[in-house]
Amino acid sequence: MTAESAELLRWYDSHARVLPWRVGPAERAAGMRPDPYRVWLSEVMLQQTTVAAVKAYFLRFTELWPNVAALAGAEDDVVMGEWAGLGYYARARNLLACARIVVRNHGGRFPDTREGLLTLPGVGDYTAAAIAAIAFDRPETVVDGNVERVMARFHAVSTPLPKAKAELTALAAGLTSGVRPGDYAQAVMDLGATICTPRNPACGLCPWRDPCRARALGIAAELPRKAAKAAKPTRLGTVWIARRADGAWLTERRPDKGLLGGMLGWPGTGWAEIAPDDTPPLQAKWQAAGEVRHTFTHFHLRLKVMAAEVDREVESGVGGFGRLNPGDLPTVMRKAHVMALTALENPENAGENRVGFA
DNA sequence: GAGTCGTGGAC
DNA sequence: TGTCCAAGACT
């Protein structure tokens, strides 16, 4: 163990954040170990997602499904509905697939090595190392966005990401502690999340302020460098939102692959830079409810929302009418639903509504 | 290796 | 308003 990693562990002992999935340093010292199921679940939820956003989902999932066997036995649509709003929905599909593999092929126990964990769906280099270190105290090197930033500054690496990834991984491995590896892994990430932040790093409070090369050079806030990102195009589309007299809504399940895969949605056009032809899924007195603006990772969407009340007898070929829990909808579809509801309640204002406009 | 894949908060 | 960013994985 290096002097630096020892210093970081001392910092962590007094500054570790309290998180629902975390076994803190004092509890670990008392012999407690985290539940691999909870570590895995939290790490998957935390992929490209903030701690603030994950907390409520983690508590809800562990309440509904306290162990991997319970989750493996859940119905797909229920899990997708509970994941709604958290984003990156392939994670939810992989989560279920992984739970079922762990139960069926591993006797309900997660593999306890990085290599074994890597075979699971939805578990990549980072997550495998994180579970191995945190749940099984193996001295694996975790490299997430926090660690990349901390290492780029600590060693003053000016090579832009993602090209610098391999170099930063090697530098991180050089600092990884063989003592208390689970605490160390969380300590580096906590350092990046609370001190060595992307903007305005709090170098004065950093346990690594002395050995940090970027701080010595006065360029900590400039690192890590990143390659320029492509501009986001704008795509257009239309959704048709029909409410039957008995309160049922016409929804459809999206295909498993692709954007919002496996999630509930509204019948509508595809989304393209040239407005697609929009033909309603059924004949009704459609009103233009307004336009939803929503930004995905790689494009902006302007979604025209059409709404209608239909008779109980109406049938559609594209999906089914049924009871709707709006919380099961991904966010963009929930925005469209809110807009349709507003139009149906206030038909005189139809077309004036905007969602996603400041 | 470069694209794809969500969302909400900070600035 | 727009841009960046968050405990990445998969193709």
Side-chain angles (χ1 to χ4, degrees):
Chain A
M1 180 165 69
T2 66
E4 286 81 10
S5 54
E7 187 61 35
L8 183 62
L9 280 170
R10 275 194 290 280
W11 171 82
Y12 184 71
D13 284 338
S14 52
H15 292 83
R17 290 179 293 172
V18 176
L19 302 171
W21 47 86
R22 172 171 288 176
V23 171
E27 298 166 302
R28 276 186 181 260
M32 289 185 59
R33 286 296 175 271
D35 177 357
Y37 168 70
R38 293 166 62 87
V39 174
W40 161 74
L41 178 62
S42 67
E43 289 300 342
V44 173
M45 287 184 165
L46 286 163
Q47 289 165 8
Q48 295 291 287
T49 309
T50 58
V51 165
V54 164
K55 278 182 179 172
Y57 284 85
F58 178 83
L59 294 173
R60 174 71 173 161
F61 268 66
T62 52
E63 178 188 352
L64 287 172
W65 304 296
N67 54 62
V68 69
L71 180 59
E75 292 195 13
D76 294 36
D77 292 357
V78 175
V79 174
M80 298 309 290
E82 290 296 334
W83 198 276
L86 197 55
Y88 285 137
Y89 298 100
R91 292 184 296 173
R93 300 193 299 277
N94 285 330
L95 190 81
L96 253 180
C98 179
R100 290 168 180 164
I101 288 171
V102 167
V103 167
R104 188 173 66 248
N105 300 349
H106 299 274
R109 293 172 188 247
F110 281 85
D112 64 358
T113 64
R114 187 183 66 83
E115 292 76 10
L117 290 158
L118 263 177
T119 68
L120 300 171
V123 177
D125 289 335
Y126 162 77
T127 304
I131 299 172
I134 297 169
F136 300 111
D137 257 326
R138 296 193 180 272
E140 301 291 353
T141 300
V142 300
V143 184
D144 70 335
N146 287 308
V147 177
E148 289 177 351
R149 184 173 57 255
V150 170
M151 291 303 141
R153 290 172 176 170
F154 189 97
H155 295 284
V157 174
S158 58
T159 307
L161 285 166
K163 187 180 180 186
K165 168 87 174 181
E167 179 182 1
L168 296 173
T169 298
L171 293 170
L175 282 169
T176 297
S177 171
V179 178
R180 299 170 57 191
D183 282 343
Y184 177 82
Q186 296 177 90
V188 191
M189 293 190 284
D190 265 24
L191 185 69
T194 64
I195 302 287
C196 195
T197 50
R199 284 174 296 216
N200 303 317
C203 297
L205 301 176
C206 183
W208 282 353
R209 59 187 173 277
D210 288 341
C212 180
R213 299 271 298 112
R215 181 180 184 250
L217 296 168
I219 58 172
E222 323 293 323
L223 301 178
R225 292 181 55 194
K226 293 196 174 183
K229 293 174 182 174
K232 292 185 203 301
T234 296
R235 296 184 188 173
L236 308 173
T238 301
V239 287
W240 305 87
I241 302 185
R243 181 173 65 185
R244 209 168 55 183
D246 64 354
W249 298 84
L250 177 61
T251 60
E252 60 183 20
R253 182 70 55 181
R254 298 174 62 85
D256 273 343
K257 299 204 172 193
L259 193 67
L260 308 178
M263 298 301 291
L264 212 51
W266 306 107
T269 66
W271 301 340
E273 296 186 44
I274 306 293
D277 291 335
D278 46 351
T279 304
L282 53 79
Q283 291 202 0
K285 200 171 167 183
W286 291 102
Q287 46 178 304
E291 183 187 72
V292 167
R293 290 191 182 187
H294 190 80
T295 298
F296 293 97
T297 304
H298 56 292
F299 66 93
H300 304 289
L301 176 66
R302 296 186 183 188
L303 192 62
K304 183 163 68 172
V305 179
M306 304 297 290
E309 301 270 15
V310 300
D311 294 334
R312 176 180 293 274
E313 295 76 20
V314 168
E315 291 297 331
S316 164
V318 299
F321 280 89
R323 274 184 51 84
L324 173 69
N325 175 9
D328 290 346
L329 294 168
T331 298
V332 64
M333 298 297 175
R334 189 171 44 73
K335 287 182 182 176
H337 179 242
V338 168
M339 178 166 286
L341 268 177
T342 303
L344 293 175
E345 304 310 319
N346 309 283
E348 66 276 9
N349 296 330
E352 302 298 316
N353 305 312
R354 293 290 184 275
V355 170
F357 293 70

